[in-house]
């Protein structure tokens, strides 16, 4: 029964992540294109870029790199949520909170460790996805083609370029996201007397968690994208600090390191909303199917 429950959660979480990411893929691709260029970001410029991409490369080009996102998101979501449960149990037994809600610090650590574990396993796929998002389709025809060309032309080490800022970004992002979500659920349970929040409440808690996590780690996200795409955009970034210095010098602190953050504030709650709705509906469907089987 416990294994079935875990499997249901993994399947539902993976599907939820896939549907949510596909829904916001055009916004995601546009954000990456701004992050890796020196162009100033504005809603008007973002709309122009989306429209120009549509005219020049066709409607489906807005989802370019999404197949690489799917290949990454499905194992990433499964590993992250599964790892989070395991780390919560481990920390719970270590701190003596077995069966009870963790206190704030272990709650943050469990989220950070879960995000770090998932990022370490799936990082090359994130690298491939960023490359596909910023290049024309003539350059890379498929995910496999990206792997082959990077390995042949730039070396296998390139698949982990930008890995350090990713991990440094994941620690506050995953830590604060899980921490905020779990904390809001606990506060809700204490004040309402209900064990579980309703789907709209989960949606709201998830949106808050995503916004706080993204805002805290966003500059490292920009640095990661610059380092990942340096090889195809004619730049050389040797370290995190030098990349940050160059971005700030050329584009300014806010306009450079927080470029595209407002778009994240739009797509974040949309993605979380779709994710939670898909998760709930999939869980209900799986339970019904298993009920029929029994």
């Amino acid at each position: 029964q416990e294994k079935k429950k875990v499997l249901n959660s993994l399947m539902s979480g993976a599907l939820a992540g896939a549907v949510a990411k596909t829904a916001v893929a055009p916004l995601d691709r546009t954000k990456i294109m701004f992050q890796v260029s020196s162009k100033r970001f504005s809603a008007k410029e973002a709309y122009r870029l989306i429209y120009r991409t549509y005219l020049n490369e066709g409607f489906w080009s807005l989802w370019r790199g999404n197949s690489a996102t799917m290949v990454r998101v499905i194992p990433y979501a499964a590993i992250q949520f599964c790892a989070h449960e395991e780390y919560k149990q481990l920390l719970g037994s270590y701190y003596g909170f077995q069966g009870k809600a963790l206190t704030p610090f272990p709650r943050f650590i469990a989220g950070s460790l879960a995000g770090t574990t998932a990022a370490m396993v799936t990082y090359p796929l994130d690298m491939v996805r960023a490359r596909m998002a910023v290049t024309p389709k003539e350059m890379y025809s498929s995910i496999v083609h990206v792997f082959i060309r990077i390995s042949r032309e730039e070396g296998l080490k390139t698949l982990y370029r930008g890995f350090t800022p990713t991990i440094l970004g994941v620690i506050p992002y995953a830590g604060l996201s899980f921490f905020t979500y779990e904390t809001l659920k606990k506060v809700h349970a204490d004040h309402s007397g209900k064990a579980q929040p309703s789907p709209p409440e989960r949606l709201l808690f998830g949106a808050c968690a995503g916004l706080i996590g993204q805002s805290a780690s966003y500059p490292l996200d920009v640095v990661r994208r610059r380092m990942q795409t340096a090889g195809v955009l004619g730049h050389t970034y040797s370290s995190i600090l030098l990349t940050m210095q160059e971005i700030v010098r050329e584009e300014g602190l806010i306009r450079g390191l927080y470029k595209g953050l407002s778009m994240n504030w739009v797509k974040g709650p949309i993605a979380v909303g779709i994710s939670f709705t898909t998760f709930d509906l999939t869980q209900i469907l799986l339970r019904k199917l298993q009920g029929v089987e029994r």
Side-chain angles (χ1 to χ4, degrees):
Q1 202 62 36
E2 193 58 38
K3 276 182 186 172
K4 200 181 269 186
K5 206 171 144 188
V6 170
L7 194 64
N8 281 0
S9 293
L10 287 175
M11 286 166 67
S12 305
L15 182 66
V19 173
K21 276 286 183 187
T22 302
V24 296
L27 292 175
D28 235 350
R29 186 185 176 195
T30 306
K31 182 198 77 174
I32 292 171
M33 286 165 93
F34 271 103
Q35 284 181 330
V36 301
S37 77
S38 54
K39 281 185 211 154
R40 273 187 64 181
F41 177 84
S42 70
K44 199 175 176 183
E45 282 302 311
Y47 169 74
R48 272 192 192 145
L49 181 61
I50 291 170
Y51 189 60
R52 250 198 327 271
T53 307
Y54 161 67
L55 287 179
N56 297 338
E57 299 176 44
F59 179 71
W60 294 113
S61 71
L62 296 171
W63 275 266
R64 181 163 166 71
N66 194 52
S67 52
T69 304
M70 291 302 99
V71 174
R72 173 184 163 267
V73 153
I74 291 164
Y76 185 94
I79 293 163
Q80 189 177 35
F81 282 104
C82 195
H84 185 242
E85 291 305 308
E86 291 302 312
Y87 287 131
K88 270 203 310 189
Q89 275 191 343
L90 280 169
L91 289 164
S93 57
Y94 180 77
Y95 284 102
F97 298 118
Q98 207 66 44
K100 291 185 220 156
L102 293 173
T103 51
F105 183 66
R107 209 177 295 157
F108 175 81
I109 294 297
S112 295
L113 288 171
T116 305
T117 305
M120 283 169 80
V121 176
T122 60
Y123 186 77
L125 292 163
D126 188 45
M127 169 77 174
V128 167
R129 179 257 179 148
R131 283 288 179 98
M132 287 185 81
V134 301
T135 53
K137 56 176 178 269
E138 300 79 44
M139 188 161 182
Y140 298 120
S141 58
S142 66
I143 299 167
V144 177
H145 188 213
V146 187
F147 272 113
I148 292 166
R149 272 195 71 172
I150 290 175
S151 305
R152 197 183 295 146
E153 294 169 17
E154 300 171 59
L156 279 169
K157 228 168 101 178
T158 306
L159 289 170
Y160 275 88
R161 186 184 288 156
F163 180 67
T164 310
T166 300
I167 294 301
L168 291 175
V170 157
I171 291 166
Y173 174 68
L176 284 168
S177 297
F178 277 111
F179 170 81
T180 306
Y181 186 63
E182 298 271 316
T183 302
L184 289 170
K185 268 172 48 176
K186 189 178 182 301
V187 169
H188 173 269
D190 291 345
H191 283 77
S192 68
K194 288 190 285 184
Q196 293 296 330
S198 65
E201 286 165 340
R202 281 178 191 272
L203 177 85
L204 185 65
F205 299 163
C208 290
L211 289 175
I212 291 167
Q214 281 172 348
S215 302
S217 61
Y218 198 78
L220 285 158
D221 191 41
V222 174
V223 170
R224 161 176 74 128
R225 293 301 183 202
R226 292 289 175 103
M227 291 177 86
Q228 285 176 337
T229 57
V232 287
L233 297 175
H235 284 285
T236 47
Y237 297 119
S238 55
S239 71
I240 298 168
L241 280 175
L242 288 173
T243 308
M244 276 190 168
Q245 279 172 1
E246 195 173 317
I247 294 168
V248 172
R249 189 173 61 245
E250 288 177 9
E251 300 159 54
L253 181 68
I254 304 297
R255 283 180 190 150
L257 290 177
Y258 286 91
K259 184 187 287 179
L261 177 62
S262 54
M263 187 178 273
N264 252 24
W265 286 343
V266 173
K267 78 178 181 66
I270 295 170
V272 171
I274 295 166
S275 183
F276 273 100
T277 308
T278 308
F279 183 81
D280 286 345
L281 294 176
T282 311
Q283 287 277 72
I284 292 163
L285 181 67
L286 286 170
R287 277 199 290 268
K288 276 185 182 172
L289 287 171
Q290 282 159 2
V292 169
E293 280 166 21
R294 279 198 299 273

